[in-house]
Amino acid sequence: MIKKKTVLVVGAGGSAPYGYPVGSVLRKRIFSLSEYGRFSFVREAGLIQASSYPYARDEPLIAFINAFQGSQTESIDTFLAHRPEFADIGKRVIAALLLESEIRENLIEREPAEDHWYQYLLRHIAEEYWADINLGHLTVVTFNYDRSLEHYLLRVFMDRYGKSRKETIDKLRQLRIIHAYGSLGAPFPETATGIDEFGAGVTSERVDHAAQFIRVIPEGRNEDPTLIEARHFLCKQIGWLFLGLVLIEQI
C-alpha cells in the first residue's frame, strides 16, 4: 500500500505500452489519413468531420493535414497552438485516432513485461481485503488524453474482488487522477454502454463527444482549474525519473 502522499506524473511514454501512439507516431497516423491505403479516407473523413462540417465533405480535413505536414511541426499540440483556426478539426482528429486505440485486450490480455507498469502499480495499491484498500494518498497527473489506466483499474478491481461496477467506481474515486489537458470523456463512466464507454469503437457521435473534452496548448493555460490543480500538487513535491514516468513523494 502507498502510505505516503505520492504524485505520479505520466507523459506520452506511459500510454505507449498499451497501444497508444506517442507524438511522432500520432503525427504519422494523421498524415496517413490523406492516403488511400490502410484507411478508407471517405469513411475516416466522415467520422472525423461529421456534424461539425456536414456539407464540406473532406476539404477541412485535407486543409488541416496539408498545413500540419507543411509546417514541419513535430507535435500536433504545438501546431494547433500556432494555428488555432484548426483547433476544432485537430481535436476531432486526435479524438478519432485515440478512440481507435482503445483496445481492452491491450490492457488485460497481455504477457507480463517490464513495461507493464499498470500491473506494477497495482501491486502497490491493491490489498488482500477490499476494505483495506485506501487510494487517498495517490495522485496521478497525466498529460495524456487516454483513460487506459482508469479502465485497467476498474476492470481488474471488479474481477479481483467480485465487486459491482458502482462499488468499484466509488472505491477508485479515492484516487485523484488529473488529466492536465483533458481526456476522451468521463474517466469512470457510470455505465458500460454509454457514449463514454471505453473501447466502444469510433463513431461520429463518440468523436464529437470526446473532442469536447480535449484541450490543446495554450487553451486556458493560466486560468484553467485543472492545470491550477496539477500545479498545486506538483509545486509541493520533489521527484525522480522512473521508466518514463515521474514518481513524486511529498516532503
Side-chain angles (χ1 to χ4, degrees), residues 7-251:
V7 177
L8 174 64
V9 182
V10 184
S15 298
Y18 305 100
Y20 290 90
V22 295
S24 60
V25 176
L26 181 63
R27 186 172 180 267
K28 290 179 181 178
R29 288 189 184 178
I30 292 172
F31 296 160
S32 75
L33 290 174
S34 63
E35 300 172 356
Y36 293 87
R38 188 166 73 89
F39 298 98
S40 166
F41 180 69
V42 173
R43 174 181 179 276
E44 295 297 325
L47 288 175
I48 291 170
Q49 297 181 157
S51 59
S52 295
Y53 308 95
Y55 309 110
R57 302 176 70 182
D58 59 5
E59 289 88 345
L61 180 57
I62 288 292
F64 160 72
I65 294 172
N66 287 342
F68 182 29
Q69 192 165 24
S71 74
Q72 294 292 282
T73 309
E74 295 182 0
S75 162
I76 176 61
D77 296 301
T78 302
F79 171 74
L80 294 177
H82 294 310
R83 298 292 301 272
E85 69 270 27
F86 286 119
D88 183 60
I89 188 68
K91 290 178 184 180
R92 295 181 68 83
V93 169
I94 293 170
L97 294 179
L98 294 186
L99 286 172
E100 183 182 55
S101 300
E102 284 191 340
I103 302 173
R104 297 181 182 93
E105 292 73 19
N106 287 345
L107 304 179
I108 305 296
E109 298 175 14
R110 54 171 292 162
E111 294 296 325
E114 291 183 3
D115 60 356
H116 189 7
W117 70 270
Y118 287 0
Q119 190 177 61
Y120 175 84
L121 177 64
L122 181 69
R123 291 200 295 268
H124 291 272
I125 62 176
E127 293 292 328
E128 184 175 358
Y129 299 106
W130 175 257
D132 294 334
I133 297 175
N134 181 1
L135 305 175
H137 294 296
L138 179 62
T139 298
V140 178
V141 177
T142 175
F143 292 90
N144 299 328
Y145 302 121
D146 71 87
R147 307 163 297 165
S148 57
L149 176 59
E150 291 96 321
H151 180 76
Y152 174 81
L153 294 176
L154 176 61
R155 171 84 178 272
V156 170
F157 274 30
M158 287 176 64
D159 288 342
R160 178 173 292 200
Y161 298 101
K163 299 297 181 179
S164 69
R165 186 182 186 88
K166 183 181 185 306
E167 288 175 304
T168 307
I169 288 174
D170 288 343
K171 177 71 74 172
L172 289 175
R173 280 179 175 153
Q174 297 176 354
L175 169 62
R176 183 182 287 103
I177 299 181
I178 303 170
H179 285 266
Y181 291 119
S183 67
L184 297 178
F188 296 118
E190 294 292 345
T191 68
T193 57
I195 198 167
D196 283 307
E197 180 187 359
F198 184 93
V202 185
T203 66
S204 58
E205 292 77 16
R206 296 195 76 224
V207 170
D208 197 34
H209 180 72
Q212 298 176 42
F213 292 90
I214 292 176
R215 294 188 300 276
V216 294
I217 303 169
E219 291 181 332
R221 194 179 190 117
N222 294 319
E223 69 279 1
D224 183 83
T226 302
L227 290 178
I228 292 173
E229 183 183 22
R231 285 197 295 267
H232 168 76
F233 283 98
L234 294 177
C235 287
K236 290 187 174 182
Q237 319 296 323
I238 59 173
W240 60 91
L241 193 63
F242 176 77
L243 293 178
L245 314 170
V246 181
L247 295 175
I248 302 176
E249 288 190 295
Q250 189 175 46
I251 298 175

